[in-house]
Amino acid sequence: MAIEILPARLANQIAAGEVVERPASVVKELVENSLDSGATRIDVDIEKGGAKLIRVRDNGQGIPKDDLTLALSRHATSKIHTLDDLEAIVSLGFRGEALASISSVSRLSLTSRPAVQEEAWLAYSEGRDMAVKLQPAAHPVGTTVEVLDLFFNTPARRKFLRTEKTEFTHIDELLKRIALSRFDVSITLKHNGKIVRQYRSGQSVAQKEKRLAAVCGSSFVKHMLHIELEHNGLMISGWITTPEGARSQSDLQYCYVNGRMMKDKLINHAIRQSYEASLSPEQYAAFVLFIGIDPHQVDVNVHPAKHEVRFHQARLVHDFIYQAVAGALAESQYVDAPMLSESAFHYENQSDSTNVLSDMLNKSEKSFNNIPSYPGCVDYDSEHTREKSQEKKTVISHSNDLIRNTSGKYGTSSPSKKEVAAYSQLMETPVKPSLMSDNQAEVPDKENCVDVIAPTKLGKAIAVIKDQYLLMTEDSHCFLLSLEQANLLKLQKQLDPTRVGLKTQPLLVPLSIKLEKNWSSDINQWISVLAELGIQVSVRKQENLVVMSVPQPLRKQNLQKLISDLLSYASRYLEPDNPESLITVVDWLAGYIQRSDSKSGYTLSEAIQLISELEHLWQNQLPLDSRSLVQPVDFSLTIKALHS
């Protein structure tokens, strides 16, 4: 078949397939054009859910008579002129396809008058080539676009329209989103001649709260927190709700990037992660957030309907949003409730603490919140899949996998005094798991046992036993190595301040933590201790602690909670001028990370990788005589059974 140029109407109808999904799509394009024109009042009239009539009238700048013909042409726009403009888009519309595409699948008329003209002009297109015709009209300063009989000439598209009520609901929800983005614009919505919504303009706090209540409901306003943060060209402001204002569905989640409505996976992931420690999987946060960023750092031209954007520094944006939301929740004391009082840390005897410890292990269900990879990152899918599979397994915790939250208003229930006492005692003298009881290890049956000796080095990896132990051979002897203990030793060495190669890594966005009353008055002394570990912090205005950099093992931790828990623990039990305090802090951090990143099982390849890292860090100085790390495997009973 011969190659031919498509007729203008057919080409525009193909473009309409991307731009015009339903009547709400038309309303979106027309209202965004009104906002770009500087309108402060927009009236939207709808009939039959938009299938019969869509009329959008504004008091914007208007379109000169000489430009009306171009306004209905494809790829014609006043909003970009060069490639540089495309790389830094600040307007809502810019493709120059909306009016031409809409007019190709409806009966569209465009009436406009700029302030410099004495009369208005009406433009409409007709015929195969969609030639534009002009005629004078009566109209105030501004523009009115009238769309009649949507999809009248494309019946295949028209039959996919839903009921009148459903289509109008989509339009109503769209205008709610637009109303939240521009408090300075009055918006009126009519359906079949009746006023349904009327959002009055206003810039005061009370007026904004009134519009928030009109769109999001009084419950949102009752539980909302104001948020505002700016750092290195990034800005976030708006409102989030406390966990008490959570909803059973994600119907009150409004986000805007440079004023543009967004449904972005990266943004939603960062916000959801901020609430992970305080909301159950069945709950959804409610928020109205505005993100400001240099237009050169974001690409809005990645989706035909402009619902998505692409950030050039995605990780920076993700962490900025996460820390802003999590920080606001923490500073408002809706996350990480204060630690228990000093009197809660007393216990009666050893047996009581042992029994309490067992109860704590049974209650432990939820790990610490951390910052996983963001959607779009190379390792996100694999991490997400692994987390899903781990949720289906029952994790049998050892005694060093203590309850994850010592307190929390919206997390697990707070432990009793005895539980806290057992926890604090264990932090000083940790109990480590062993594959054999002490009696079995110390008094073997010499008649039935073969000779077993402690290994001098780690040998060849054979298999992973019960997901947590690695069977290894060395000089014809077999040993079981605890992978959890190996991981703990790896973390201890990674955090060792005396190790060559310990480096601090600056945070993309400094983290602000509110100073707690239960932290010691000599907080500056602890700051120097943290600095030796690569944790750079400073006090700002005697109210907040600002975290600027941390060592690599802490990068994926919930630093808001980790630093708070560390300083609370250190203030109660350690002395900053005691040299042993630094060692204790290292052990505490290693145990903390171990518990928050607890694995339900290792594969053989993961175990081999862990051993390789462990040997590299310890440089032939591993404590292989530690029975909590390595246990010899005694095959004597099996051999005896084979010979019987």
Side-chain angles (χ1 to χ4, degrees):
M1 299 178 64
I3 299 176
E4 298 178 357
I5 300 294
L6 290 175
R9 180 173 292 276
L10 180 57
N12 287 336
Q13 287 178 345
I14 294 174
E18 293 183 343
V19 178
V20 186
E21 178 185 3
R22 61 195 330 153
S25 305
V26 175
V27 176
K28 175 182 182 295
E29 297 292 342
L30 298 183
V31 173
E32 285 184 346
N33 281 344
S34 296
L35 292 174
D36 283 338
S37 72
T40 59
R41 178 180 177 85
I42 301 174
D43 297 318
V44 181
D45 293 336
I46 304 295
E47 291 184 12
K48 302 288 186 182
K52 179 64 177 176
L53 168 70
I54 298 173
R55 182 189 298 118
V56 177
R57 171 173 291 188
D58 65 59
N59 63 346
Q61 296 176 354
I63 304 173
K65 174 187 176 183
D66 295 340
D67 289 345
L68 282 175
T69 300
L70 283 175
L72 296 178
S73 303
R74 285 193 73 194
H75 308 309
T77 179
S78 63
K79 300 166 187 178
I80 59 172
H81 300 90
T82 66
L83 182 60
D84 291 337
D85 295 335
L86 187 62
E87 293 177 352
I89 295 172
V90 293
S91 60
L92 297 175
F94 58 88
R95 290 173 178 263
E97 294 179 358
L99 292 177
S101 298
I102 295 169
S103 66
S104 70
V105 292
S106 66
R107 296 183 174 94
L108 181 145
S109 62
L110 170 63
T111 307
S112 189
R113 176 197 163 194
V116 295
Q117 282 184 195
E118 294 183 358
E119 60 180 349
W121 288 84
L122 181 148
Y124 64 95
S125 61
E126 62 180 10
R128 175 185 177 91
D129 296 327
M130 299 187 67
V132 178
K133 292 188 177 182
L134 297 177
Q135 64 184 51
H139 194 280
V141 174
T143 302
T144 296
V145 180
E146 191 171 85
V147 178
L148 293 170
D149 300 328
L150 185 63
F151 299 137
F152 80 97
N153 56 353
T154 52
R157 298 288 303 280
R158 191 178 184 86
K159 71 179 182 181
F160 281 99
L161 292 180
R162 303 302 180 187
T163 64
E164 176 181 329
K165 181 180 178 181
T166 299
E167 295 299 342
F168 180 75
T169 299
H170 283 283
I171 295 173
D172 187 24
E173 176 61 26
L174 169 78
L175 288 179
K176 285 181 179 179
R177 291 181 172 273
I178 294 176
L180 288 175
S181 71
R182 294 293 299 271
F183 291 94
D184 60 324
V185 178
S186 296
I187 300 176
T188 302
L189 172 63
K190 292 183 180 180
H191 189 215
N192 295 333
K194 296 181 180 180
I195 295 179
V196 179
R197 306 287 180 194
Q198 193 166 20
Y199 303 111
R200 301 183 186 278
S201 63
Q203 288 296 316
S204 69
V205 174
Q207 291 170 328
K208 289 183 177 180
E209 288 185 356
K210 190 173 182 180
R211 181 171 289 195
L212 284 169
V215 175
C216 303
S218 58
S219 179
F220 178 91
V221 176
K222 178 181 178 181
H223 297 292
M224 71 182 183
L225 299 171
H226 184 256
I227 179 175
E228 188 167 357
L229 181 66
E230 186 173 358
H231 177 74
N232 285 354
L234 275 173
M235 184 276 292
I236 185 170
S237 63
W239 299 268
I240 61 175
T241 58
T242 67
E244 292 176 339
R247 300 177 63 82
S248 59
Q249 55 187 352
S250 58
D251 58 336
L252 289 184
Q253 296 185 343
Y254 302 104
C255 189
Y256 306 85
V257 177
N258 290 347
R260 184 183 302 278
M261 294 182 291
M262 271 310 119
K263 293 182 179 179
D264 187 80
K265 293 180 180 178
L266 181 142
I267 296 173
N268 289 339
H269 183 271
I271 297 172
R272 186 172 64 251
Q273 186 64 24
S274 303
Y275 279 92
E276 189 176 52
S278 55
L279 297 182
S280 67
E282 295 78 23
Q283 293 179 302
Y284 294 88
F287 54 82
V288 178
L289 291 176
F290 305 92
I291 299 170
I293 187 173
D294 182 352
H296 291 89
Q297 296 298 316
V298 59
D299 185 0
V300 302
N301 191 27
V302 296
H303 190 279
K306 302 183 285 292
H307 289 313
E308 300 175 4
V309 295
R310 182 179 294 120
F311 297 103
H312 295 305
Q313 299 186 60
R315 189 55 174 179
L316 170 64
V317 175
H318 179 278
D319 287 358
F320 175 76
I321 297 171
Y322 167 82
Q323 294 186 8
V325 176
L329 289 171
E331 289 184 10
S332 301
Q333 297 183 348
Y334 283 95
V335 173
D336 300 339
M339 298 287 288
L340 298 179
S341 64
E342 188 72 25
S343 61
F345 289 85
H346 295 289
Y347 60 95
E348 297 178 4
N349 55 54
Q350 179 70 27
S351 61
D352 285 345
S353 64
T354 302
N355 293 333
V356 169
L357 177 59
S358 177
D359 293 338
M360 292 171 68
L361 295 178
N362 293 331
K363 292 180 182 178
S364 177
E365 295 179 355
K366 191 172 183 180
S367 63
F368 278 127
N369 174 29
N370 57 17
I371 307 176
S373 301
Y374 55 90
C377 183
V378 175
D379 58 348
Y380 172 73
D381 292 334
S382 60
E383 285 189 9
H384 189 64
T385 303
R386 184 165 63 249
E387 289 171 1
K388 286 290 185 182
S389 64
Q390 288 177 354
E391 289 176 0
K392 298 178 182 179
K393 300 180 180 179
T394 301
V395 180
I396 303 176
S397 299
H398 291 295
S399 57
N400 62 343
D401 288 327
L402 293 173
I403 188 167
R404 273 67 171 177
N405 288 320
T406 56
S407 65
K409 186 174 181 181
Y410 297 98
T412 56
S413 59
S414 298
S416 66
K417 294 182 178 181
K418 290 184 177 180
E419 290 174 336
V420 178
Y423 174 77
S424 61
Q425 182 191 25
L426 191 72
M427 290 305 298
E428 297 175 2
T429 56
V431 180
K432 299 177 181 178
S434 175
L435 301 183
M436 296 183 181
S437 68
D438 290 341
N439 292 334
Q440 288 175 317
E442 292 178 0
V443 189
D445 185 349
K446 294 184 178 180
E447 293 183 1
N448 297 325
C449 292
V450 296
D451 291 335
V452 290
I453 60 174
T456 58
K457 62 180 179 179
L458 295 179
K460 181 180 179 181
I462 303 298
V464 173
I465 309 298
K466 291 189 177 298
D467 297 329
Q468 294 291 344
Y469 307 100
L470 181 62
L471 179 63
M472 308 186 75
T473 63
E474 192 262 329
D475 290 339
S476 73
H477 296 288
C478 291
F479 305 91
L480 272 185
L481 180 137
S482 170
L483 293 170
E484 281 196 351
Q485 189 65 21
N487 187 62
L488 185 62
L489 289 173
K490 183 192 80 170
L491 292 170
Q492 288 175 343
K493 185 58 70 173
Q494 286 179 328
L495 295 166
D496 185 357
T498 63
R499 180 176 69 88
V500 177
L502 178 66
K503 295 181 179 180
T504 182
Q505 298 183 356
L507 298 180
L508 292 173
V509 180
L511 174 65
S512 178
I513 303 174
K514 186 176 181 180
L515 290 174
E516 299 290 345
K517 294 180 180 179
N518 60 347
W519 295 353
S520 62
S521 57
D522 55 353
I523 188 68
N524 289 323
Q525 291 181 277
W526 282 116
I527 289 177
S528 62
V529 174
L530 295 179
E532 293 187 59
L533 297 170
I535 304 175
Q536 300 290 337
V537 298
S538 63
V539 177
R540 183 175 63 187
K541 298 181 180 179
Q542 300 301 316
E543 296 180 355
N544 294 297
L545 193 71
V546 180
V547 184
M548 294 169 289
S549 59
V550 295
Q552 190 277 331
L554 304 184
R555 288 289 292 179
K556 287 190 177 182
Q557 297 300 308
N558 179 356
L559 296 177
Q560 181 87 34
K561 181 167 181 58
L562 185 150
I563 300 297
S564 297
D565 287 352
L566 173 58
L567 289 175
S568 296
Y569 170 74
S571 296
R572 285 186 172 92
Y573 301 108
L574 305 178
E575 298 177 358
D577 55 352
N578 187 340
E580 294 184 358
S581 294
L582 187 61
I583 300 174
T584 305
V585 169
V586 170
D587 292 340
W588 189 95
L589 284 172
Y592 191 105
I593 300 172
Q594 174 87 325
R595 292 188 295 276
S596 64
D597 295 339
S598 178
K599 289 174 63 67
S600 59
Y602 289 83
T603 64
L604 182 58
S605 61
E606 289 174 336
I608 293 174
Q609 177 65 27
L610 173 59
I611 297 305
S612 175
E613 294 176 1
L614 189 65
E615 289 182 319
H616 174 74
L617 289 168
W618 280 83
Q619 296 292 323
N620 298 323
Q621 295 181 355
L622 276 170
L624 298 179
D625 57 346
S626 170
R627 280 182 290 171
S628 62
L629 176 64
V630 178
Q631 285 280 2
V633 177
D634 186 358
F635 290 111
S636 57
L637 295 179
T638 305
I639 294 173
K640 183 178 179 181
L642 290 173
H643 284 283
S644 61

